[in-house]
Amino acid sequence: MTVGAPGPETPYDVIIPLYNGGQTIDVVLDGLKRQIRPPARVIVVDDGSGDGAVERLRASGSCEIFRNPNKGANAARQFGLSQSTAPYVALLDQDDAPCPWHFDYLAAVLDADETCPAALSNEYEGAVREPKQAPSRRPITVPMDPWGGFPFFSRNPSALLIRRSALDEIGGWSSEYPGIADLYTILRLSERRPIAAVIGRSWWVVPRKDSYSTVLRRNNPSKYFDVRTRATEAAVAQRMIYHPDNRAFLEQRLGLQAALGRVLMVLEAEKDQTALRGAALALEDSLEPEPINIRRQACRNLFWYLAPLFDDPEWAPNLVHCLVDAWPNEAVWSKNYFRLAVAKRMRMIELLRYVALRPAWFGRWHLFAAGLAMHGRDWARSMAP
């Protein structure tokens, strides 16, 4: 039973799953206290924290705390939804802090259009400090159909404000897809009609040691990718009910995703170069009919799953070798992308050491030159007034 009816100043609840988030949760709650349009309730669901954060929050009285231990973040969100009553709901992560204008912007979109299932802040690249001041004018709001970028559209759940009735229509927040439930939910919310995007920065990422997705990628990237595959396939099955004309397009994109998964499995299993060559050429074939922005998103997505392994001294040399030296020259587009991605990921001293190991290999000098250009550009930007 919801409180009130959608319209101006419709109430919203904020649900935050908490697991050992003591280093960031106070900043998140401070952001909620400063909202121009305050939440009706702030519901924190503890998943079994042992860092003292729960006791500190309980003493402060800054939120309602429920315990749902050892079930994971998605189950915590689901439990929080069962305690929530407002017509709009937000699902903040424990390390994502809203700017004071965040929910004012998002709620105004839902107030103005009762058919809109959700609104999101389109600024998603992860600012690590709060903007000093609000924009001088209200942001532009545009329709956004995540299916156009399927399956590579990605937004953090903290960017969303969801109409509760729309979430109920799709069965609530799924606990079936660890680390991928946000993608699955956004696709499901937009399976009939687009959601809305508010163009402007309105939340930021509180610096922390490791995110949940980083842990999943570091432990078993191909298993994590398999969860993504299952989630997107399940979302497609529902999309087809309302848009059967999308079948050929969606099957092509699922094929591209499968090609990425095969490359990831080969890299993780450290198979021979024959297997890598076959997987790389199959990926290149799947990329060929796609527009440049989808090619870029696809390769970025694969690299994102691999990124934490570059911090592991046992994994990093093999990954660099596979993506730079052993990647077939015939796979031109993906080879160029991964060379630049690796060059940006590695520090200059690491690039120098890599070249020094095989100074006669032209590809390694090419990698070094790419790294020099990109790190130089980043340095110049940091020095700009």
Side-chain angles (χ1 to χ4, degrees):
M1 184 84 180
T2 57
V3 175
E9 298 303 308
T10 301
Y12 69 94
D13 290 339
V14 176
I15 298 163
I16 308 174
L18 180 69
Y19 180 73
N20 291 340
Q23 60 180 320
T24 61
I25 188 64
D26 293 320
V27 181
V28 177
L29 293 175
D30 177 67
L32 289 171
K33 289 177 186 175
R34 293 184 290 117
Q35 289 300 297
I36 295 170
R37 181 165 169 170
R41 299 168 67 192
V42 177
I43 298 170
V44 172
V45 182
D46 175 39
D47 189 39
S49 299
D51 64 349
V54 172
E55 292 75 15
R56 189 173 71 249
L57 294 181
R58 187 171 284 118
S60 72
S62 57
C63 58
E64 300 176 48
I65 301 174
F66 296 87
R67 296 195 74 248
N68 191 48
N70 307 317
K71 296 183 177 67
N74 288 330
R77 293 186 180 100
Q78 209 171 46
F79 183 85
L81 285 167
S82 73
Q83 306 301 313
S84 167
T85 57
Y88 304 158
V89 290
L91 297 141
L92 280 182
D93 282 345
Q94 65 184 16
D95 53 7
D96 293 332
C99 302
W101 52 90
H102 180 64
F103 288 115
D104 179 51
Y105 285 174
L106 297 181
V109 174
L110 300 186
D111 290 343
D113 181 0
E114 65 180 16
T115 69
C116 182
L120 63 80
S121 169
N122 197 44
E123 178 62 51
Y124 69 98
E125 289 295 345
V128 293
R129 61 180 62 89
E130 183 175 7
K132 294 181 179 179
Q133 61 186 26
S136 58
R137 63 184 68 179
R138 293 194 74 85
I140 296 171
T141 301
V142 298
M144 174 176 282
D145 185 3
W147 290 93
F150 177 84
F152 307 114
F153 180 92
S154 178
R155 294 296 185 275
N156 188 298
S158 299
L160 286 166
L161 184 65
I162 306 171
R163 191 179 300 278
R164 179 60 182 264
S165 59
L167 191 59
D168 289 343
E169 283 180 11
I170 64 170
W173 189 274
S174 173
S175 60
E176 187 176 350
Y177 307 110
I180 300 295
D182 49 349
L183 171 61
Y184 174 78
T185 302
I186 291 173
L187 290 172
R188 291 295 315 278
L189 286 169
S190 59
E191 64 193 11
R192 302 190 208 185
R193 64 187 70 86
I195 57 178
V198 177
I199 310 300
R201 176 176 296 174
S202 65
W203 61 278
W204 59 289
V205 180
V206 185
R208 75 287 197 200
K209 183 178 180 181
D210 273 335
S211 68
Y212 179 51
S213 67
T214 300
V215 174
L216 290 175
R217 286 178 286 159
R218 183 185 298 124
N219 290 345
N220 195 327
S222 61
K223 181 179 179 181
Y224 186 19
F225 193 89
D226 181 64
V227 175
R228 180 191 185 90
T229 299
R230 291 190 288 108
T232 51
E233 288 175 348
V236 163
Q238 295 298 317
R239 173 73 168 183
M240 293 289 199
I241 296 173
Y242 305 102
H243 297 276
D245 55 314
N246 286 179
R247 180 176 297 276
F249 164 76
L250 293 173
E251 287 180 347
Q252 178 177 307
R253 291 288 173 83
L254 286 175
L256 173 55
Q257 182 174 251
L260 294 170
R262 286 193 292 273
V263 171
L264 188 59
M265 287 182 64
V266 170
L267 292 174
E268 190 177 2
E270 297 187 79
K271 294 183 179 179
D272 59 37
Q273 291 191 12
T274 301
L276 175 62
R277 177 181 176 80
L281 293 177
L283 173 59
E284 191 76 8
D285 288 342
S286 296
L287 291 170
E288 196 277 331
E290 299 291 352
I292 293 296
N293 66 311
I294 294 299
R295 295 185 193 184
R296 189 176 293 116
Q297 288 179 45
C299 291
R300 182 188 300 131
N301 185 256
L302 176 61
F303 196 81
W304 182 82
Y305 278 87
L306 295 169
L309 299 181
F310 279 88
D311 296 324
D312 186 332
E314 295 184 6
W315 273 102
N318 180 64
L319 285 177
V320 176
H321 171 72
C322 289
L323 293 173
V324 177
D325 300 327
W327 200 265
N329 291 327
E330 300 94 316
V332 177
W333 204 94
S334 53
K335 187 176 184 70
N336 287 335
Y337 181 91
F338 290 129
R339 179 187 292 121
L340 292 173
V342 170
K344 186 172 184 178
R345 186 68 177 74
M346 295 175 70
R347 294 176 298 157
M348 286 306 302
I349 187 64
E350 294 170 332
L351 290 168
L352 277 170
R353 290 171 182 163
Y354 195 65
V355 170
L357 290 173
R358 295 285 190 278
W361 289 18
F362 176 75
R364 297 197 176 194
W365 284 105
H366 197 163
L367 177 70
F368 178 78
L372 186 63
M374 285 188 292
H375 287 297
R377 179 197 62 191
D378 292 344
W379 176 82
R381 286 177 176 174
S382 69
M383 297 299 291

